[in-house]
Amino acid sequence: MNTNLIYSVLAFFVLCACSAPTKNETTDQPMVYGEWEAPDVDINTVNFDQMPFSKLSDYGFFKGKIREFNPGKGVVLYEPASSLFTDYAFKTRYIWMPEGASATIQDDSEGTIDFPENTVLIKNFYYPADFRYPLEKIRVIETRIMVKKNGAWEAFPYLWNEEQTDAIYKAVGAEVSVDWVDQQGQAQFVKYIVPNQAQCKSCHNSNEVMVPLGVKAKQLNHALPGKGNQLIAWEEAGYLEELKPLQAYPAMVDYSDISSDLNLRAKAYLDSNCAHCHRAEGPASTSGLFLNYEETDPAKLGVFKTPVAAGFGAGSFTYAIWPGKSNESILTYRMGTNQVGAAMPEIGRGLVHREGLELIKAWIDAMPEESFHHLSAGKR
């Protein structure tokens, strides 16, 4: 197995190797891999005007048996500090830029990055058959790519075949049955949803413009195992120019790191899983609930905040966050339900992220209610 994949698995093992609702009956079908290898394609020679290509192998991102994610020339592994939950799927992420091109980090609170034309972001979603053996019997479900073309980002979903030799462009999305064994040895099951192409903008949306999410300085300003800080690695690869000292850039904590501050962990989780919509520039801006990492106003974070138009999505609860009362907060109710119209996020998950839910509950329960009485005046 390629070392890039090993690094990625180890970095996200704590996030992904968790339990989920069990299936009543599971099938023990061994993974049978095809032996086909991708042709050697020079990415720099592909015609971006002809994208999307019909097969993932047409791009040349990975060499040989592409399920092993052996990166082609200029394809660089990256990992955000905190990851979006996607039904316990493992993920690997890569970036490619044309030869001689580089990006610059913007002077804003998140360290957003201005990428050059024809930049490509690649994200693979996969499941080991047994989470206790994360490098064995891996089944890749989908690969999503984002390409910057003519100054705008476009997204293309690819669905992997049963032989695990290649992935086919699938604009309409798909539903895939996935079995695995969790860390406790229990059989698990999910109907995994591959989003259709039109749904990509539902999350990748800033002021109605499609944008990448996990490639900001705040998410990249940390070290990969054995590889050092990612911003420095990008600079060394020629992908960043005019890099300042690392302390000049924001840095987000890993929400799975229990040694980090609870408040920062909770906000990192909300940023990664909710703030693509719940921010001033996002499609849920009218809610007034802003869950990005940089937000410091308790009212905007949801403390004693009544919903604008949640309808039955609020359940029987009054406030997004009731300090000290996680079981009476709309935020945790919506994270903990799968009811259509109430579940949050609206797309991207079919299972409840139990570990994430417990983190947000602990955060809310640790809030002293008396510290926020000024926000609740006249509401109760």
Side-chain angles (χ1 to χ4, degrees), residues 219-230:
Q219 283 276 25
L220 299 172
N221 192 5
H222 68 99
L224 290 184
K227 288 195 170 185
N229 187 281
Q230 291 185 101

Side-chain angles (χ1 to χ4, degrees), residues 212-269:
L213 293 173
V215 281
K216 301 173 183 177
K218 69 176 184 181
Q219 283 276 25
L220 299 172
N221 192 5
H222 68 99
L224 290 184
K227 288 195 170 185
N229 187 281
Q230 291 185 101
L231 297 181
I232 293 177
W234 281 29
E235 181 187 42
E236 291 175 346
Y239 283 1
L240 277 179
E241 59 183 20
E242 301 177 358
L243 187 67
K244 301 174 184 177
L246 296 178
Q247 59 268 28
Y249 300 109
M252 182 186 293
V253 304
D254 175 356
Y255 63 72
S256 70
D257 181 4
I258 60 174
S259 68
S260 293
D261 176 76
L262 176 61
N263 181 59
L264 294 179
R265 290 176 61 210
K267 291 179 69 175
Y269 184 88

Side-chain angles (χ1 to χ4, degrees), residues 46-102:
V46 302
N47 186 342
F48 277 72
D49 292 334
Q50 295 179 357
M51 294 183 182
F53 300 141
S54 61
K55 303 185 299 297
L56 185 63
S57 58
D58 293 335
Y59 294 90
F61 299 139
F62 306 109
K63 304 300 182 183
K65 297 180 177 66
I66 63 173
R67 64 175 175 271
E68 297 179 353
F69 305 141
N70 295 306
K73 183 179 180 182
V75 177
V76 176
L77 176 76
Y78 75 90
E79 296 171 5
S82 285
S83 177
L84 174 71
F85 172 74
T86 313
D87 287 339
Y88 292 103
F90 286 51
K91 303 167 187 176
T92 57
R93 303 165 178 85
Y94 298 85
I95 185 170
W96 177 87
M97 298 183 201
E99 289 182 350
S102 59

Side-chain angles (χ1 to χ4, degrees), residues 96-333:
W96 177 87
M97 298 183 201
E99 289 182 350
S102 59
T104 55
I105 300 175
Q106 305 299 291
D107 186 20
D108 57 47
S109 61
E110 296 184 287
T112 55
I113 299 178
D114 182 18
F115 290 97
E117 188 74 4
N118 293 346
T119 295
V120 184
L121 303 173
I122 309 125
K123 188 175 183 181
N124 305 297
F125 297 72
Y126 65 96
Y127 290 83
D130 190 328
F131 281 16
R132 296 169 297 181
Y133 309 98
L135 302 182
E136 300 178 9
K137 298 180 181 179
I138 288 171
R139 179 186 178 191
V140 192
I141 307 299
E142 61 163 323
T143 294
R144 305 175 192 175
I145 70 171
M146 289 188 70
V147 183
K148 189 174 184 181
K149 297 171 57 180
N150 302 315
W153 288 94
E154 297 183 51
F156 307 122
Y158 286 79
L159 179 67
W160 279 71
N161 60 25
E162 290 295 327
E163 299 77 23
Q164 296 285 279
T165 54
D166 209 346
I168 307 303
Y169 175 56
K170 192 78 170 178
V172 297
E175 181 180 281
V176 182
S177 296
V178 183
D179 295 287
W180 73 92
V181 174
D182 67 19
Q183 278 288 88
Q184 289 71 46
Q186 299 298 311
Q188 309 294 342
F189 172 80
V190 69
K191 287 285 189 180
Y192 182 97
I193 303 298
V194 178
N196 64 56
Q197 188 168 342
Q199 288 176 307
C200 295
K201 193 177 179 181
S202 298
C203 295
H204 292 268
N205 183 332
S206 179
N207 293 321
E208 298 305 317
V209 175
M210 180 172 283
V211 296
L213 293 173
V215 281
K216 301 173 183 177
K218 69 176 184 181
Q219 283 276 25
L220 299 172
N221 192 5
H222 68 99
L224 290 184
K227 288 195 170 185
N229 187 281
Q230 291 185 101
L231 297 181
I232 293 177
W234 281 29
E235 181 187 42
E236 291 175 346
Y239 283 1
L240 277 179
E241 59 183 20
E242 301 177 358
L243 187 67
K244 301 174 184 177
L246 296 178
Q247 59 268 28
Y249 300 109
M252 182 186 293
V253 304
D254 175 356
Y255 63 72
S256 70
D257 181 4
I258 60 174
S259 68
S260 293
D261 176 76
L262 176 61
N263 181 59
L264 294 179
R265 290 176 61 210
K267 291 179 69 175
Y269 184 88
L270 295 173
D271 186 285
S272 299
N273 288 274
C274 311
H276 45 268
C277 288
H278 283 281
R279 60 189 300 132
E281 306 85 8
S285 61
T286 55
S287 71
L289 184 65
F290 299 153
L291 300 176
N292 47 299
Y293 194 66
E294 301 74 29
E295 185 58 66
T296 59
D297 184 340
K300 291 181 179 179
L301 287 168
V303 175
F304 285 121
K305 183 186 183 306
T306 53
V308 174
F312 75 88
S316 60
F317 307 109
T318 305
Y319 306 118
I321 292 176
W322 191 326
K325 299 180 180 181
S326 64
N327 289 330
E328 299 180 44
S329 298
I330 298 171
L331 183 61
T332 50
Y333 166 71

Side-chain angles (χ1 to χ4, degrees), residues 332-350:
T332 50
Y333 166 71
R334 303 194 77 169
M335 288 177 61
T337 183
N338 283 325
Q339 182 181 12
V340 176
M344 284 289 177
E346 293 178 317
I347 63 172
R349 74 163 179 89

